[in-house]
Amino acid sequence: MEPVVALVVLVALLEYIAFGMLVGRARGRYGVSAPAVTGHEIFERYHRVHQNTLELLVVFVPAIWLFGAYVDANWAAALGLVYVAGRILYLRGYVAGPAKREFGFGLSVLPIIALVGGALWGVARKLI
Amino acid sequence: MEPVVALVVLVALLEYIAFGMLVGRARGRYGVSAPAVTGHEIFERYHRVHQNTLELLVVFVPAIWLFGAYVDANWAAALGLVYVAGRILYLRGYVAGPAKREFGFGLSVLPIIALVGGALWGVARKLI
Amino acid sequence: MEPVVALVVLVALLEYIAFGMLVGRARGRYGVSAPAVTGHEIFERYHRVHQNTLELLVVFVPAIWLFGAYVDANWAAALGLVYVAGRILYLRGYVAGPAKREFGFGLSVLPIIALVGGALWGVARKLI
């Protein structure tokens, strides 16, 4: 993986780790003991932010890698940074209220779709 | 990653994104508001299909990559396509009724086990 | 990916697959039918162990890969084996009682933080 792409991947991993720590903190703050993952609305929001970021991260990492390898490393890194910023807005929006999660959701999903679509185009160009 | 393996990985990522969109549609259709992930049986089935696909995808991507690199790229791609088809049957079966999810589950898990086992053999051959 | 790093990644994937099989066994043993993921305390512990391992695995795989590529493959493999051992202790602790999961949790999270931090340093060194 190109260094500039690897850097953005590592930043996205750190962001996800931070979201996981916020879930742990919310467990204590709102009194939700393991193994439960429900019981307090605010805890559930932090938990859903973490889970949703997990759901995106499994696509983000291979997509940015393949886009970087088959299309362009700098564009891959730029799209990756939009994803990272979109996740921060998603966290802030969701914790304020589930209805406010839409903008950050879109801002983190759109670069992933661009990475997958671009990588598909780059790979197809090699194959045919 | 070899182009033919990358192509199948991207198809598997798109399938998983489509499953996620079906969860979003089921939220609206069956009236399950975020952050809840329970409350309507059919919504829960779509949600479990998406979650179970997430659970497999984190193994599938590194396994097909390493099998392609250490054993054979074309066999990796062929096994990957069986996985993608198995997931479609899993979705259709699960939504029809949880008991009907078994065949599609097996058809998507077996190629993953073949990819992990084959990659292990390929890596061990290099190391010893 | 270096063979020694690939070997540890595959061992971690097999461990995760085994944890998933324990969840399936617990479904039958404690009478929790799909799509439910709650209903029996012991089932929920196995399920949370599997989910938590999934949450870590999505960081572990790219982190050990990048550490192996940008820092050192043998150190990457050694840290990876600590993670694998930590997860076994986490499983045993959590099933015995959620409060006993802390040591295994730490032993599997610390090597991941070392892998991410080390990879970040290795990548930054290349970029500047």
Side-chain angles (χ1 to χ4, degrees), chain B residues 69-90:
Chain B
Y70 284 98
V71 184
D72 184 83
N74 290 325
W75 274 105
L79 286 165
L81 288 178
V82 175
Y83 158 84
V84 170
R87 280 290 103 182
I88 293 172
L89 297 181
Y90 178 75

Side-chain angles (χ1 to χ4, degrees), chain B residues 48 55 58-59 65 70 94 123, chain C residues 1 3 16 34-35 51 58 65:
Chain B
R48 284 305 307 155
E55 289 166 15
V58 297
V59 178
W65 169 33
Y70 284 98
Y94 206 146
V123 167
Chain C
M1 201 191 280
Y16 167 76
Q51 288 300 308
V58 298
W65 169 32

Side-chain angles (χ1 to χ4, degrees), chain B residues 1-127:
Chain B
M1 200 190 281
E2 293 279 323
V4 70
V5 178
L7 180 67
V8 175
V9 165
L10 290 164
V11 169
L13 296 182
L14 285 172
E15 180 185 56
Y16 166 77
I17 290 169
F19 287 5
M21 290 165 69
L22 291 176
V23 177
R25 193 188 62 172
R27 264 202 193 282
R29 190 172 283 183
Y30 303 108
V32 179
S33 298
V37 290
T38 54
H40 190 288
E41 170 76 16
I42 305 297
F43 169 80
E44 287 178 40
R45 291 179 192 175
Y46 279 108
H47 184 248
R48 284 305 307 155
V49 167
H50 187 235
Q51 287 298 307
N52 188 265
T53 304
L54 168 63
E55 289 166 15
L56 295 192
L57 202 61
V58 297
V59 178
F60 176 75
V61 173
I64 194 172
W65 169 33
L66 294 174
F67 189 102
Y70 284 98
V71 184
D72 184 83
N74 290 325
W75 274 105
L79 286 165
L81 288 178
V82 175
Y83 158 84
V84 170
R87 280 290 103 182
I88 293 172
L89 297 181
Y90 178 75
L91 168 74
R92 292 180 53 145
Y94 206 146
V95 171
K100 292 176 184 158
R101 75 191 196 276
E102 303 293 349
F103 179 72
F105 184 74
L107 199 65
S108 45
V109 164
L110 287 179
I112 290 181
I113 289 173
L115 288 168
V116 172
L120 205 56
W121 173 77
V123 167
R125 211 177 39 167
K126 281 259 170 171
L127 280 170

Side-chain angles (χ1 to χ4, degrees), chain A residues 84-101:
Chain A
V84 169
R87 279 289 104 181
I88 294 172
L89 297 181
Y90 178 74
L91 168 75
R92 293 181 52 145
Y94 207 146
V95 171
K100 292 177 184 154
R101 75 191 196 278

Side-chain angles (χ1 to χ4, degrees), chain C residues 3 6 11 13 20 23 25 28 31 50 61 86 101 105 117:
Chain C
V11 169
L13 296 181
V23 177
R25 194 187 65 174
H50 187 235
V61 173
R101 76 189 196 278
F105 184 74

Side-chain angles (χ1 to χ4, degrees), chain C residues 59-82:
Chain C
V59 179
F60 175 75
V61 173
I64 193 173
W65 169 32
L66 294 174
F67 189 102
Y70 284 98
V71 184
D72 183 84
N74 290 324
W75 273 105
L79 286 165
L81 288 178
V82 175

Side-chain angles (χ1 to χ4, degrees), chain A residues 48 55 58-59 65 70 94 123, chain B residues 1 3 16 34-35 51 58 65:
Chain A
R48 285 303 308 156
E55 290 166 14
V58 298
V59 179
W65 170 32
Y70 284 97
Y94 207 146
V123 167
Chain B
M1 200 190 281
Y16 166 77
Q51 287 298 307
V58 297
W65 169 33

Side-chain angles (χ1 to χ4, degrees), chain A residues 27 33-37, chain C residues 18-27 30 32 36-55 87-101 105:
Chain A
R27 265 201 192 284
S33 297
V37 291
Chain C
F19 287 6
M21 291 166 69
L22 291 176
V23 177
R25 194 187 65 174
R27 265 202 192 284
Y30 303 108
V32 179
V37 292
T38 53
H40 190 290
E41 170 77 15
I42 305 298
F43 169 80
E44 287 179 39
R45 290 179 193 176
Y46 278 108
H47 184 248
R48 285 304 308 155
V49 167
H50 187 235
Q51 288 300 308
N52 188 265
T53 303
L54 168 63
E55 289 165 14
R87 279 289 104 181
I88 293 172
L89 297 181
Y90 178 74
L91 168 74
R92 293 180 53 145
Y94 206 146
V95 171
K100 290 176 185 157
R101 76 189 196 278
F105 184 74

